[in-house]
Amino acid sequence: MNISKQDVGILRELGRKAAELSATDDNKQKIDKWTRLTDLDKSAGPLQLIHLWPLAWAEALPDEQHLVCQNETARNYERDLRQRIWSVENLHDDTVIEPVIRYPHCVEITAYPELPVMAHYASDDHAKTGAFKFESPIVEMADIEKIGDPVVKVDAEQREGYKAEAEEIFGGILDVIPTGIYFAAKVVDEWAGLRGMENVYTDMMDESEWTHEALQRIADNFQKRFQTLEEQGLWGPWEKSDPLGSTGLRFNPDIPNYQDIMKKGKADLMDTWAFTCAEGFNCVSPGMHEEFDLPYNVQLMKLFKWVNVGCCEVLHNKVEFVKNVPNVRRISVSEWCDFEKAGAEIGTELLYGYKPSGVPFLGDGLHEDQVRKELRRVLDAAKDCPLEMILNIGGTLGGGDGAAKLVEWTKIAKEEIEATKG
């Protein structure tokens, strides 16, 4: 093991803190509330959670200010533990911490070996800081024959090495589990990446049969990816405290906990949540959405226990379509939706997964009035629905003290939730 005794000591201390927090009554109560809410018990909510992507985390808890370990692997473990501990101790939202540590998966997936993604910076972007330009590899109709089977490669020796190292560091403190591989089923969005968004729209009208053939090939590829990962014990995550895509946590009476999965040695698809979306169909009519997306979601979502539908796309006028997706349990209601129409259509049949706007974070301080106005509107619109409010920040926190703005947001959300109960 290349990790120094000093780094090991730091990690073990953080591990003890995480285990201590996981055993508190408050943490157990949150698990109970998430379990009941995802079972569509409206009285368990509303629950609120902040889910940050790497860029936002880097702004909220900069490595240079918070990490102490020197070894890179140790720093990855330290970062994960500090983020989880900080969330529980500072945000006071409905974050749950489980007594686990995840070692790297050491897996490489190539979805379409014959269709490499062609992405590069614009020719005049000399600083290499702008958006990627994508060149779609599906040009001729015959090119869809290149949509074959995925390739999954596992470095088993390295994987076992990481596992042994993690067990040596955290043994007796935290349960050591693999980092499960998890991704959304985005048949339409992957097709858009292969074909080009403008072409996808015109092809649905001019070459509908060919489009369906291509979408079926992509759906078959997804199914093989899912089942290969399941068979090899790579599908995950195993822990329920990991956020489900754009929505909340995975606790549910019908989903086994990580201890049971550890005994089995792998997570079965039918024992896990799925996540599907079609952000490329945001401006497509409900009828075309149903024709060109639903058939493939029907095939894939049957593989799983429960399903979340949607991310950033607008779905308030497609709720009936969403209800036809097999095993659907959650629907994402993004900031661009008609909150009232969504609430009326969702009712008690699905979990209303509200995604608050990140715009109030732009600037040095949080725009409190904007946050309260939007929260009040959603809480009223979804008053008859099981409700979760997931601040899913995928980009920047907008300058200033990002951590302070996150703490303030959760405080405001708690106050508005309590006001509705009063």
Side-chain angles (χ1 to χ4, degrees):
M1 186 171 67
N2 297 321
I3 300 178
S4 69
K5 289 183 179 180
Q6 182 177 352
D7 283 0
V8 169
I10 293 168
L11 294 178
R12 290 179 68 83
E13 186 60 34
L14 289 171
R16 292 188 189 95
K17 183 63 176 178
E20 178 184 304
L21 290 172
S22 73
T24 63
D25 289 340
D26 182 61
N27 197 61
K28 294 174 183 178
Q29 290 168 8
K30 290 176 183 177
I31 290 174
D32 175 69
K33 288 194 293 183
W34 278 111
T35 303
R36 291 191 291 117
L37 186 67
T38 61
D39 205 32
L40 303 184
D41 179 355
K42 176 181 174 294
S43 67
L47 300 183
Q48 44 116 2
L49 177 79
I50 285 181
H51 176 204
L52 303 181
W53 291 26
L55 175 58
W57 268 123
E59 294 176 345
L61 299 180
D63 284 357
E64 60 271 20
Q65 296 178 19
H66 294 273
L67 298 191
V68 181
C69 292
Q70 299 300 308
N71 177 274
E72 190 59 35
T73 299
R75 286 170 70 86
N76 290 335
Y77 285 131
E78 183 186 5
R79 184 182 299 108
D80 172 51
L81 288 167
R82 288 195 187 280
Q83 288 174 358
R84 288 194 279 157
I85 292 169
W86 182 86
S87 295
V88 172
E89 292 187 329
N90 294 274
L91 293 181
H92 305 298
D93 62 355
D94 293 302
T95 293
V96 169
I97 188 167
E98 292 180 276
V100 299
I101 195 73
R102 299 164 292 190
Y103 60 88
H105 54 63
C106 305
V107 178
E108 179 183 345
I109 303 174
T110 306
Y112 309 103
E114 295 185 57
L115 292 168
V117 175
M118 296 184 289
H120 54 79
Y121 290 109
S123 59
D124 59 349
D125 184 6
H126 303 297
K128 308 299 183 187
T129 57
F132 279 154
K133 176 182 179 182
F134 286 88
E135 295 183 23
S136 304
I138 300 289
V139 179
E140 307 293 337
M141 295 183 73
D143 287 340
I144 65 170
E145 295 178 10
K146 298 176 183 177
I147 303 175
D149 292 343
V151 173
V152 178
K153 295 181 180 180
V154 184
D155 189 330
E157 183 177 352
Q158 186 181 41
R159 182 180 170 89
E160 285 302 311
Y162 278 123
K163 179 182 179 182
E165 184 178 62
E167 289 176 339
E168 185 175 346
I169 297 170
F170 297 103
I173 300 174
L174 297 174
D175 291 325
V176 174
I177 62 175
T179 298
I181 300 177
Y182 185 83
F183 48 86
K186 300 183 179 183
V187 174
V188 164
D189 292 345
E190 288 206 1
W191 174 231
L194 295 173
R195 177 64 176 147
M197 198 72 256
E198 297 88 348
N199 292 329
V200 167
Y201 291 149
T202 56
D203 289 340
M204 287 190 293
M205 294 180 289
D206 298 339
E207 302 291 349
S208 61
E209 290 186 13
W210 177 75
T211 296
H212 277 297
E213 182 181 350
L215 292 170
Q216 184 60 61
R217 287 173 178 266
I218 293 173
D220 292 341
N221 182 288
F222 262 112
Q223 182 162 339
K224 288 176 181 176
R225 268 183 269 170
F226 290 143
Q227 292 178 333
T228 299
L229 293 171
E230 176 189 45
E231 291 164 3
Q232 297 188 22
L234 304 172
W235 180 249
W238 290 13
E239 69 274 32
K240 295 184 182 182
S241 55
D242 190 76
L244 171 66
S246 62
T247 57
L249 304 184
R250 301 166 189 263
F251 293 94
N252 181 270
D254 299 318
I255 302 295
N257 57 38
Y258 76 86
Q259 293 96 334
D260 291 334
I261 297 174
M262 286 178 69
K263 294 175 185 177
K264 195 172 187 178
K266 70 184 188 74
D268 293 334
L269 299 176
M270 186 46 74
D271 284 335
T272 61
W273 288 87
F275 171 32
T276 182
C277 61
E279 292 174 298
F281 272 11
N282 189 58
C283 59
V284 169
S285 70
M288 294 190 83
H289 200 145
E290 185 165 357
E291 178 183 352
F292 288 96
D293 184 50
L294 183 60
Y296 311 104
N297 268 319
V298 166
Q299 297 172 43
L300 295 173
M301 296 303 100
K302 286 181 178 179
L303 301 172
F304 301 90
K305 183 62 183 181
W306 298 121
V307 176
N308 170 66
V309 177
C311 188
C312 293
E313 66 265 46
V314 173
L315 293 173
H316 65 256
N317 61 338
K318 299 179 180 180
V319 176
E320 287 306 312
F321 153 75
V322 169
K323 290 178 180 179
N324 288 325
V325 175
N327 303 323
V328 63
R329 177 55 60 99
R330 282 168 146 134
I331 178 171
S332 177
V333 181
S334 68
E335 61 189 275
W336 300 281
C337 286
D338 181 325
F339 302 139
E340 291 76 17
K341 182 174 176 59
E345 294 290 328
I346 292 169
T348 59
E349 296 180 63
L350 298 173
L351 178 53
Y352 187 120
Y354 160 56
K355 285 170 57 69
S357 171
V359 173
F361 282 82
L362 299 178
D364 291 337
L366 186 69
H367 296 272
E368 179 181 345
D369 291 345
Q370 293 181 31
V371 173
R372 290 191 185 278
K373 181 178 179 181
E374 187 174 310
L375 287 172
R376 288 170 183 170
R377 184 179 165 196
V378 170
L379 286 165
D380 182 63
K383 60 181 179 296
D384 296 323
C385 310
L387 172 64
E388 60 183 1
M389 305 189 298
I390 314 301
L391 182 63
N392 187 352
I393 300 289
T396 179
L397 290 171
D401 188 337
K405 287 192 282 187
L406 294 171
V407 171
E408 185 179 359
W409 187 90
T410 58
K411 178 177 178 293
I412 293 170
K414 285 287 187 185
E415 289 173 354
E416 294 301 329
I417 289 172
E418 289 304 314
T420 62
K421 294 179 180 179

